[in-house]
Amino acid sequence: MRPALDMCDPEQESLMHQISDEVVALVAKYGGLMWGEHGKGFRSEYGPEFFGEELFGELRRIKSACDPLNKMNPGKICTPLESEDELVKVSDVKRGTYDRQIPVQIRDSFSQAMECNGNGLCFNYDTASPMCPSMKVTADRRHSPKGRAGLVREWLRQLSEQGFDVLDLENETKQNSSAKGLIEKWRNTFNKRHEYDFSHEVYEAMNGCLACKACASQCPIKVDVPSFRARFLNLYYTRYQRPAKDYLVANIETMLPYMAKVPKVVNFALKQNLVQSLTAKTVGYVDAPLLSVPTLKSRIKQQPISEFNLEQLQAIPQGQRQDYVCIVQDPFTSFYDAQVVEDFAKLILKLGKKPVMLPFKPNGKATHIKGFLAKFAKSAKSTAEFLEQVAALGMPLVGVDPALVLCYRDEYDEILGSERGDFDVLTVHEWMTPLLAESEPKAIADAEEWYLFAHCTEKTKMPNAEKEWGAIFSHFGGRLTTVPVGCCGMAGTFGHESDKLQMSKDIYGLSWAPKLDQLPKERCLVTGYSCRSQVKRFEQTTTKHPLQAVLLLLSQ
């Protein structure tokens, strides 16, 4: 069978028609060897010895017929006959030569980047796969986990070559988050236009990362881009000035409790075209969400929800404490989607348990994403100490947003280590699944299907989440169909940043938009707050959290 014409350079199409029957026979006989060699990587210089002079000569004849100008993987397997081009030497491409220039302590510390073996599974264009959405829409391999890992390795190598110890630099930022004076930062930032710094190339790739953490579980090597991305940004901004939007994101958890005291005033201001325009131009932030009205604080006053009082909870007998459920607030759901938290409290009551609303404590995920690692460590330590104290009561701790719940497991463990404590915050479905054994399953009471759109971080870090939600619905008389989608493109605050708005729209258009167009939106359930926010922004419709649908089933 002759090679397909469209696999060769268009300029050579006419030459393809001239391939002799002899060469076609050679392709049939030896072509498998030639293509099989590709899987061995760059070992070209050993080709003549491995295949032997006669067979290697035949491979070169095939190369001459299909690629006489040596444009396809030049020098990787063989070169055309009569060509003076050389085979690629192993020493020219062997990664270890460069990686060994990085001190071993730094290599061990940045293992999430160093251990990437280049398998390329992150070059994934499946729109329903959560793996690296930025790679999908840019088709730029620098915006893949493999590309980002490679850039960070080279960044570490160059720093080591110049005599900088990254670990020492990180320790400096723990002592002084500014590291350099403001004037020096401004000067460096101003000079970015004409002073080359490889860090800017690394930053360009990191800036497009949504920190969805799909790579941390989907990659067979577990290359964790958000982890080393945060560390890179932490150091990058000791030399260059941060954009204003980073400070807005980093301080939003501190501001929200105060904003919630006057939600109508804040919302009125955010709705003004002038404010929206100024925010976009000065801060670089667009489509800011509106605060919930009424607020969560007002809502829970109408429900039989216990206010947190440590002494009173400690007085409850040990045998009764499993009847209580501590609701762990997160900044986005509590202040922007309070109805979900209120409905979760109602669901707890429906299931015969007693909800306890914990006071709001910053989660800090946004500060980690932006590389404010000193600030994140401080808030994480405070929150972890509080949650450890509550966990000692023996009452389950449950949060409604999967991404924020998982932050307690991943980023907290990473930044705090042994100081994190032993507390465990559950997602709603993790808490509900063991409860199914306590009650008899119901017959199907809701004939109409519900459709589940799971958060990408939840799907990748908790692969059984969708299945467990399906079991919960079946138990309570509902029917749930999982909709295969990738990332929604919001990813916390990523979609609100003006320089990322188009990428956010493009990612949303890959799988979420077409799937929602095919389904009744009022029956679509979305686990992540950021995903519900994205749907509301582009579809002008409000979707429910699956716990709200379960509450409806129990209310029938």
Side-chain angles (χ1 to χ4, degrees), residues 217-235:
S217 55
Q218 296 290 289
C219 169
I221 312 301
K222 313 304 179 191
V223 171
D224 189 345
V225 175
S227 176
F228 60 72
R229 173 184 183 267
R231 296 177 68 180
F232 167 78
L233 292 176
N234 179 50
L235 291 179

Side-chain angles (χ1 to χ4, degrees), residues 373-418:
L373 294 189
K375 183 179 179 69
F376 174 65
K378 183 178 179 180
S379 64
K381 189 173 188 300
S382 174
T383 300
E385 289 174 351
F386 170 73
L387 293 175
E388 177 77 357
Q389 191 178 35
V390 177
L393 295 169
M395 300 175 181
L397 282 65
V398 188
V400 299
D401 189 82
L404 277 296
V405 168
L406 290 169
C407 179
Y408 295 123
R409 305 179 191 181
D410 294 341
E411 286 85 350
Y412 273 45
D413 186 60
E414 179 183 299
I415 203 78
L416 298 177
S418 60

Side-chain angles (χ1 to χ4, degrees), residues 260 263 290-300 303 305 327 329-346 357 400 529 532 536 542 545 547-548:
L290 301 180
L291 295 170
S292 293
V293 179
T295 63
L296 180 60
K297 186 176 181 179
S298 300
R299 291 169 183 270
I300 62 176
Q303 304 296 332
I305 300 174
I327 302 175
Q329 296 191 56
D330 70 81
F332 303 113
T333 316
S334 288
F335 293 101
Y336 294 117
D337 205 359
Q339 182 68 59
V340 173
V341 185
E342 180 186 8
D343 285 344
F344 182 45
K346 291 179 179 178
M357 187 68 65
V400 299
Y529 164 76
R532 293 194 300 276
K536 185 175 182 179
T542 300
H545 189 291
L547 73 84
Q548 294 175 295

Side-chain angles (χ1 to χ4, degrees), residues 1-8 12-13 15-21 23-28 31 34-35 62-63 65-67 72:
M1 181 176 179
R2 294 179 184 272
L5 296 182
D6 59 3
M7 292 182 64
C8 295
Q12 308 307 316
E13 185 173 333
L15 291 176
M16 289 293 296
H17 292 289
Q18 301 173 21
I19 298 177
S20 67
D21 291 339
V23 173
V24 172
L26 287 170
V27 172
M34 181 169 71
W35 306 129
I62 297 171
K63 180 75 169 176
C66 297
D67 183 25
M72 299 171 64

